[in-house]
Structure formats: structure tokens, C-alpha cells
Amino acid sequence: MRAAVVSSFGGPEAVEIVEVAVPEPGTRQVRIKVAAAGVNPVDAGVRAGVFGGAGQRLGLGWDVAGVVEAVGVASGWTVGDEVVALAYGTAKTLGTHADLVVVDADAVAAAPRSVDVAHAASLPLNALAAAQALDRLGLEPGQNLLITGAAGAVGGYAVQLAARLGVSVTALAREGDEELVRSLGADRFVSDGVAPRSVDAVLDAAILGADALDWVRDGGAFVGVIPGAHPASVRGVGTSAVEVAADGARLAELVALVDEGVLTTRVAGTYALDEVVKAHARLAEGGLRGRLVLVP
């Protein structure tokens, strides 16, 4: 079967399609026939060597939508189930950018019924990251949250989820994105920041770091999206970063919100698996409003 991997670090051209053995599911695992798989910035990071792993062949891809093809003992799933899942890890030998992938059964959820497989594949990593970041912030209804990069994949889900919680959302994005982020539930739009110490919390999906921290009131909260890269605490502001965790139960809740029309999935474009280099090149150009998705 085919899989997208990197054996040496570099730009989009470092990604190659190779033939690998069909993976077998172990206890409490399932094998999924990939119907669609999201291409995320973390894949570009793996490709570029940001997370290390020199001298290894690294598989790419975290998001997957597809059909259960084989099950291990005590998986709880059945062959033929339509599912979505998160295949966590920056140093895995096989990711979701492949014809088949094996994942832990507790990372899997039934696929949404209301969207196609490409849109379903845009959900796991980014929606889980947004939900888990909001969990860290622990905001109450009526509190003020500034979301940077609010028009992006993580930021867009965060806007919708925070608005659903009754949090007052200020969305920081490019000037042309105001209509979009307001449609997602933002109460206020800004394109160049806010007054210092004027919000209760920041979810920094744009990775602005210390600049965004300055906008948080004393004793507020800051959550970034790159583990270990968040700024140090100042003025009593609690700072941390979300490291997304595979969580099938939470993913099922997010799927339900998609089917209820609460969460909007966005796909910026689709590519065949054999066009993965083109997908990485497009990702590198930036400016996407939604996820690129591989459709094997």
C-alpha cells in the first residue's frame, strides 16, 4: 500500500510516496481504509525537521475519515463502520496520509452524517485542539476571550465553541475576514490587536506570543497552540499551551455539534495522495481559510 513519508528533512519536495506493508491492528486498535486525510501545519513541521527524528522514516498525517477495515481484540468497533480519528504523533512510522492506517480504538468516533468525507477529515486535530485549549482556559459565560488567527482552522473552531459557551469572543484576523469570523459567532472583530490588559484571556492560534500576552488583564489566562513555545507568565497571567490529545469520546461530541449545525467544517482544497507534494507547496503559501485534504 502507499504512504506519504519523509526520509530527509526539507521543503515540500522532501515528501515522497512509498510502498509499505499493510499494518495490522493490535489489541484495542482498528485499521481504517482512508477516504480523506487533512494536511496540517504540524505535517509541514515534521517534514522540515522541527520535531527531530533525523535518520528515521517518518509518516505524515494526523486526521482521518474512512471506514473500519479490520479490528483488533476488544476494539469496540465493527468492520464497515464509518469513522473519524486522530492519529497522534510527530515521530510515527505511518500516518494517515496513506491508503490504510491503524489507530487506537479510543481515538475513534463515528463519522458525521451531515458532511462529506473531506469535510469530516478536517475536524479531528483542529477541533480537538480548539476544544482542549478552551478547557485549559476554563472561562465562564460573559468573560472576554481574544482569539488570534480566528479565521484559521483551529481559530475558527475556537470561535464557534467559545460562543456556544456564552463567552464574549473578540476575533483577531485579517481585514478581509471580518464577515467570516462574525458568521462563526465572534462578537467583535479586530485586525491589529486590542488595548493592553483589556481581555480576560487569549487563545493564541496565530502564535503571536508575548504581543498577545500583553492584551490579557492581570491574573488572566493565555493558551498557545505549540507546546513549550508559550511566553512566560507575567502579572499573574497563567500561561500554557495545548498539546492535543487523541480522545474519541470528545471527538464524538464535536461530531455531534457538526451534525447539529453548531460547528462549520471548512475545506480549502483537495488533492490526490499522489499529489501530496503539491498540497504541501500550497500549505506553505499560506492564506488558507480551511484545511487542505488528501483524498486517496
Side-chain angles (χ1 to χ4, degrees):
M1 68 165 217
R2 301 169 302 161
V5 303
V6 291
S7 299
S8 60
F9 301 136
E13 71 284 348
V15 183
E16 54 184 328
I17 300 294
V18 298
E19 288 292 326
V20 300
V22 172
E24 296 298 333
T27 300
R28 291 184 292 277
Q29 290 186 319
V30 300
R31 185 170 71 220
I32 299 171
K33 182 175 177 57
V34 178
V39 181
N40 290 282
V42 68
D43 297 308
V46 172
R47 184 202 75 220
V50 171
F51 306 104
Q56 304 176 50
R57 189 165 76 178
L58 303 174
L60 300 174
W62 291 51
D63 294 311
V64 62
V67 178
V68 174
E69 186 191 75
V71 298
V73 175
S75 76
W77 294 93
T78 302
V79 171
D81 287 341
E82 296 180 358
V83 296
V84 289
L86 179 69
Y88 174 88
T90 57
K92 50 187 181 278
T93 57
L94 178 65
T96 63
H97 296 172
D99 291 315
L100 302 164
V101 66
V102 166
V103 298
D104 292 338
D106 60 7
V108 180
R113 302 180 304 276
S114 58
V115 296
D116 62 24
V117 291
H119 284 81
S122 73
L123 184 71
L125 176 59
N126 297 287
L128 281 170
Q132 292 168 6
L134 290 170
D135 289 346
R136 280 183 171 270
L137 290 171
L139 296 173
E140 300 292 334
Q143 286 192 287
N144 301 310
L145 171 65
L146 173 65
I147 298 174
T148 73
V154 174
Y157 284 129
V159 170
Q160 294 173 87
L161 291 170
R164 180 175 179 270
L165 295 173
V167 173
S168 178
V169 176
T170 297
L172 175 63
R174 296 177 182 177
E175 289 187 3
D177 290 322
E178 180 173 3
E179 182 178 352
L180 168 63
V181 296
R182 287 191 181 278
S183 74
L184 297 176
D187 300 288
R188 182 184 175 200
F189 169 81
V190 293
S191 60
D192 58 359
V194 296
R197 307 185 186 186
S198 63
V199 297
D200 295 309
V202 163
L203 196 169
D204 187 23
I207 320 174
L208 301 181
D211 288 341
L213 181 61
D214 187 52
W215 299 324
V216 183
R217 65 166 172 81
D218 295 356
F222 173 105
V223 169
V225 295
I226 299 180
H230 56 280
S233 175
V234 295
R235 300 181 286 101
V237 177
T239 64
S240 64
V242 63
E243 181 169 1
V244 67
D247 184 340
R250 190 63 179 282
L251 183 55
E253 295 173 2
L254 296 167
V255 166
L257 293 178
V258 171
D259 285 337
E260 291 169 17
V262 174
L263 285 184
T264 301
T265 58
R266 293 177 291 153
V267 172
T270 60
Y271 294 81
L273 179 59
D274 290 337
E275 297 176 310
V276 64
V277 171
K278 292 181 180 180
H280 274 253
R282 177 63 188 92
L283 180 65
E285 292 174 3
L288 294 169
R289 292 298 174 259
R291 269 292 155 252
L292 300 177
V293 177
L294 300 179
V295 183

